[in-house]
Amino acid sequence: EDKVVQSPLSLVVHEGDTVTLNCSYEVTNFRSLLWYKQEKKAPTFLFMLTSSGIEKKSGRLSSILDKKELSSILNITATQTGDSAIYLCAVPNTGNQFYFGTGTSLTVIP
Amino acid sequence: DGGITQSPKYLFRKEGQNVTLSCEQNLNHDAMYWYRQDPGQGLRLIYYSQIVNDFQKGDIAEGYSVSREKKESFPLTVTSAQKNPTAFYLCASRLAGGNTGELFFGEGSRLTVL
């Protein structure tokens, strides 16, 4: 059965800390892995990863895929209160069903 | 502006009533999806549709029904057979085909059964 697992489930840090969120997957015929940020309502797209070992970066956020370990990490450096959100990982299967993990709830304390 | 519009944003329903959640997109996307989100459970797929007049069940389709008569519209009906319908419902769309293209999400509809 295809599945996506995220860890930790929740995290509380202080402003300025660096955090690492994990996503592991077991999906048949893997093609891509996506990260989303969900603050209140609609998840917003962060990254799509298709190739192992190539880091994608946007400001203080970065992500990398390890196809050997069937996993990805999302790093956030110098965290700010605006980074408080649920971070979701998703992997599509060959039928274009997107499997989501349970998400990591990040709280950044001033 | 292009995007996905869900309505209503909040909905209260009495037990035993069917309700329909609307999802409209003007992105010219082929594929549309309905997800349910409960605390601590991430997003679970209810139904998805890759083309007009065709749709497939997701992991938790029981108690729900959909239609896809137009490319831009994918309404979800929560029937009285759904045992625990109180949840946050998200509609999404994407260009079909290939391995590129992320899901775009609407703002969601929060359904509460009284």
Side-chain angles (χ1 to χ4, degrees), chain B residues 76-106:
Chain B
L76 174 74
T77 296
V78 185
T79 75
S80 56
Q82 169 49 233
K83 290 185 172 46
N84 185 19
T86 294
F88 187 55
Y89 292 88
L90 283 162
C91 179
S93 71
R94 69 185 288 270
L95 283 171
N99 65 345
T100 59
E102 70 269 26
L103 290 175
F104 291 79
F105 285 89

Side-chain angles (χ1 to χ4, degrees), chain A residues 29-110:
Chain A
N29 295 326
F30 173 86
R31 295 173 299 160
S32 62
L33 182 146
L34 296 87
W35 283 98
Y36 286 84
K37 177 182 181 182
Q38 184 181 26
E39 291 181 78
K40 291 283 186 190
K41 296 177 181 176
T44 54
F45 173 73
L46 295 174
F47 300 112
M48 183 167 69
L49 305 163
T50 55
S51 300
S52 208
I54 297 175
E55 185 183 58
K56 292 225 172 171
K57 200 169 167 64
S58 175
R60 295 175 295 102
L61 277 67
S62 64
S63 185
I64 196 160
L65 177 68
D66 185 340
K67 285 187 181 178
K68 206 170 175 182
E69 296 295 325
L70 304 183
S71 66
S72 171
I73 59 170
L74 175 68
N75 281 319
I76 308 175
T77 60
T79 51
Q80 302 170 357
T81 55
D83 295 326
S84 295
I86 296 173
Y87 290 85
L88 297 163
C89 171
V91 178
N93 67 3
T94 47
N96 285 321
Q97 293 187 53
F98 282 68
Y99 287 91
F100 282 81
T102 52
T104 293
S105 176
L106 174 65
T107 303
V108 181
I109 301 170

Side-chain angles (χ1 to χ4, degrees), chain B residues 10-113:
Chain B
Y10 298 93
L11 185 62
F12 297 89
R13 183 194 100 174
K14 291 182 181 178
E15 280 193 32
Q17 288 181 334
N18 291 356
V19 293
T20 297
L21 307 181
S22 169
C23 179
E24 303 276 330
Q25 55 98 0
N26 60 4
L27 300 167
N28 201 32
H29 284 172
D30 300 294
M32 296 186 75
Y33 301 75
W34 274 106
Y35 286 91
R36 170 181 172 140
Q37 188 173 28
D38 295 282
Q41 293 201 46
L43 273 62
R44 293 183 291 164
L45 182 63
I46 305 172
Y47 270 98
Y48 66 110
S49 167
Q50 307 235 49
I51 55 172
V52 175
N53 291 323
D54 187 46
F55 48 82
Q56 287 80 40
K57 292 182 180 181
D59 298 322
I60 57 164
E62 186 176 345
Y64 299 98
S65 66
V66 293
S67 63
R68 186 85 189 276
E69 296 176 3
K70 297 186 294 183
K71 188 176 183 179
E72 59 269 23
S73 179
F74 192 40
L76 174 74
T77 296
V78 185
T79 75
S80 56
Q82 169 49 233
K83 290 185 172 46
N84 185 19
T86 294
F88 187 55
Y89 292 88
L90 283 162
C91 179
S93 71
R94 69 185 288 270
L95 283 171
N99 65 345
T100 59
E102 70 269 26
L103 290 175
F104 291 79
F105 285 89
E107 292 284 296
S109 292
R110 189 168 296 279
L111 172 63
T112 302
V113 173

Side-chain angles (χ1 to χ4, degrees), chain A residues 9-27:
Chain A
L9 286 181
S10 65
L11 200 50
V12 180
V13 301
H14 288 96
E15 266 193 321
D17 288 350
T18 293
V19 297
T20 298
L21 312 182
N22 299 283
C23 176
S24 62
Y25 59 89
E26 290 177 28
V27 177

